Amino acid sequence: KINIDDWNRKKQFTFFSKFDNPYTGCTTLINVDNIVKYSKNNNISFYGLMAYFVINAINKIDEFKYVLEENEIYKYDKINATFSVLTSNNQINFSRIVEFNSFNKFINDFIKAKEEAESGKIISYEVAYNKCYFTCTPWMRVTSVQNPMNYKNMDSIPRICWGKYFLQNNKYMIDFSIQVNHAFQDGYHIGLLINQLQCDIDNFLEN
């Protein structure tokens, strides 16, 4: 638990948490050539691969581990993932929480959770604050994303979306959108995340 008086974001938290809409974000391009090819060569879900690299990058940046939990602030050891899918009748469903873990463990758990949610099974809601929301639009590119929000109940959960990957200069790219609570992260921290994500993808080597 964090004592807000000792927190270096006390000033920013106090300021932005008073807003009706304290959320901010951006959309940018990410080079995903390495992991698209890995996905194709190994018949592994690109959704799962991308989710792993995003949650891995988030867990490398301390500012994304501060969480609002029932009007108190906590710093967690890890942030986990939950995501949306389409069922067989093209309706949205939400996965169970997938714990951040080693590459192979996370990918296996993600695929199981994806298949479970795609079946249309209603997944029991798990009360957890140390998580990110992931979604993707593999049928189209995105240049901005507006997330449904309940402004009466502020949270600190990052909301992340990416679009259809496409070729640009013979490299696979995606549009990557992120929304955060400005009381917890600034554009600088979003930039740290984007740079970390790109670095990790660029340096990913097939085993």
Side-chain angles (χ1 to χ4, degrees):
K1 183 177 176 179
I2 301 299
N3 182 343
I4 192 171
D5 290 327
D6 297 329
W7 191 28
N8 63 356
R9 281 196 69 81
K10 176 183 177 181
K11 178 180 177 181
Q12 292 79 9
F13 177 83
T14 303
F15 178 72
F16 286 112
S17 61
K18 294 176 182 177
F19 282 43
D20 292 333
N21 178 4
Y23 305 100
T24 187
C26 68
T27 303
T28 190
L29 285 176
I30 299 287
N31 182 331
V32 290
D33 200 64
N34 275 354
I35 59 175
V36 170
K37 291 174 179 176
Y38 185 88
S39 171
K40 292 176 180 291
N41 291 338
N42 293 276
N43 194 29
I44 295 177
S45 163
F46 176 77
Y47 197 2
L49 283 171
M50 188 65 190
Y52 170 78
F53 280 96
V54 175
I55 203 67
N56 184 54
I58 282 172
N59 276 282
K60 290 181 177 180
I61 300 171
D62 269 358
E63 285 78 10
F64 282 90
K65 294 183 178 180
Y66 290 91
V67 172
L68 182 65
E69 184 172 331
E70 306 204 356
N71 298 317
E72 301 286 355
I73 299 167
Y74 292 83
K75 186 179 181 185
Y76 276 82
D77 292 330
K78 68 166 67 173
I79 304 298
N80 300 314
T82 182
F83 55 95
S84 65
V85 301
L86 287 184
T87 62
S88 59
N89 63 346
N90 294 321
Q91 298 300 315
I92 195 170
N93 198 14
F94 302 97
S95 79
R96 66 176 64 252
I97 292 173
V98 179
E99 184 178 355
F100 172 61
N101 220 311
S102 64
F103 177 81
N104 289 328
K105 180 74 165 65
F106 181 88
I107 294 296
N108 288 336
D109 290 347
F110 184 96
I111 290 171
K112 290 177 183 177
K114 181 172 177 285
E115 291 173 350
E116 179 184 39
E118 286 173 337
S119 74
K121 177 182 177 181
I122 302 301
I123 311 299
S124 298
Y125 179 74
E126 301 173 68
V127 177
Y129 301 89
N130 60 322
K131 60 186 176 183
C132 285
Y133 292 141
F134 292 160
T135 192
C136 67
T137 60
W139 50 87
M140 66 182 183
R141 292 187 57 184
V142 296
T143 55
S144 67
V145 175
Q146 182 173 329
N147 292 289
M149 302 293 299
N150 182 356
Y151 293 125
K152 294 179 182 179
N153 297 307
M154 185 176 75
D155 66 54
S156 60
I157 301 171
R159 290 159 168 83
I160 294 171
C161 174
W162 52 88
K164 176 182 180 179
Y165 55 72
F166 60 95
L167 282 171
Q168 179 173 291
N169 298 324
N170 294 316
K171 299 290 185 182
Y172 284 107
M173 311 287 289
I174 59 165
D175 305 295
F176 179 87
S177 175
I178 178 170
Q179 176 183 294
V180 299
N181 187 327
H182 214 332
F184 288 81
Q185 296 95 16
D186 304 318
Y188 170 75
H189 305 111
I190 293 175
L192 288 178
L193 175 64
I194 297 298
N195 290 334
Q196 184 66 60
L197 174 61
Q198 188 65 78
C199 180
D200 290 346
I201 291 173
D202 287 346
N203 290 308
F204 177 61
L205 299 175
E206 296 186 22
N207 294 322

